[in-house]
Amino acid sequence: MKNNKNDLVKELEEILNNEEEFKEIEKRIKDIDIDEYNDIIIELKSDIKSLENINSSLDTSLNEIYDIENRCPICQSEIDDEKKEQLISYYEDLIDENLKKIENDENEIKKYNLKIKEFNDYNSRYIELKMLIKNKFNIKKKISNLE
């Protein structure tokens, strides 16, 4: 039981030391727009899904080019080997470009998830410090009663 004046004074000092941290965390929490981060993540996931669907279609077309001899998979017109190689290269480049975009979007999602985690950590500490600081007045009252 902390009814000893020295213990109460130490507890009060701890609270006063934590008030600066509390103010800093409070400021950081206010600067973070968690809803915006969640919206960005949703948008990035949607972009990834779209790019994956495009790549799936491109991959199907690419496989058709490999399977069909001297015919365009889209218009079915005759094509020579050079045109076939150009189409293959074109589709492969598009797929690679989309894969890079997907990787970039996934890295962005990780970045925003980290920011959300940071916010949650700050928020937990904020609540903890708020409860501690709330006790400041009770401790001051106990100290004055002991005097």
Side-chain angles (χ1 to χ4, degrees):
M1 178 181 278
K2 290 191 176 183
N3 287 336
N4 177 322
K5 184 177 178 182
N6 288 335
D7 290 342
L8 291 171
V9 169
K10 283 181 182 179
E11 190 174 344
L12 184 60
E13 287 173 355
E14 179 185 345
I15 290 171
L16 294 174
N17 289 335
N18 285 320
E19 282 184 327
E20 284 302 312
E21 180 185 3
F22 176 80
K23 289 174 187 173
E24 179 63 30
I25 290 174
E26 185 175 45
K27 181 181 177 280
R28 286 183 182 207
I29 286 174
K30 287 180 180 176
D31 290 342
I32 296 173
D33 187 350
I34 201 79
D35 291 332
E36 179 184 354
Y37 293 166
N38 283 318
D39 290 344
I40 291 170
I41 289 172
I42 289 168
E43 185 177 323
L44 287 167
K45 285 181 177 182
S46 175
D47 290 347
I48 289 171
K49 187 67 177 162
S50 176
L51 290 167
E52 287 172 342
N53 289 336
I54 290 169
N55 272 3
S56 179
S57 294
L58 290 170
D59 196 45
T60 299
S61 296
L62 188 58
N63 286 330
E64 289 174 0
I65 292 173
Y66 284 123
D67 292 342
I68 299 174
E69 280 193 38
N70 300 331
R71 291 243 178 244
C72 174
I74 297 169
C75 67
Q76 298 300 316
S77 65
E78 288 210 21
I79 57 172
D80 60 17
D81 286 340
E82 184 180 332
K83 182 65 176 175
K84 183 176 178 176
E85 288 303 316
Q86 287 176 347
L87 285 172
I88 288 170
S89 178
Y90 174 74
Y91 284 120
E92 287 175 342
D93 288 346
L94 285 176
I95 290 170
D96 287 344
E97 186 178 312
N98 287 341
L99 288 172
K100 287 176 186 171
K101 288 179 187 175
I102 289 170
E103 182 180 359
N104 185 55
D105 285 353
E106 287 171 342
N107 287 332
E108 286 294 304
I109 289 172
K110 286 177 187 175
K111 182 178 86 174
Y112 283 104
N113 277 330
L114 189 61
K115 288 182 179 193
I116 290 171
K117 183 192 178 310
E118 182 180 272
F119 170 83
N120 289 333
D121 291 345
Y122 281 135
N123 197 44
S124 294
R125 181 69 177 148
Y126 175 80
I127 292 168
E128 179 183 318
L129 290 172
K130 189 174 185 177
M131 297 302 289
L132 185 66
I133 291 169
K134 215 175 192 183
N135 285 332
K136 177 171 75 173
F137 300 106
N138 291 336
I139 293 169
K140 282 182 177 182
K141 187 176 178 181
K142 285 181 185 177
I143 290 172
S144 66
N145 287 342
L146 289 173
E147 293 178 339

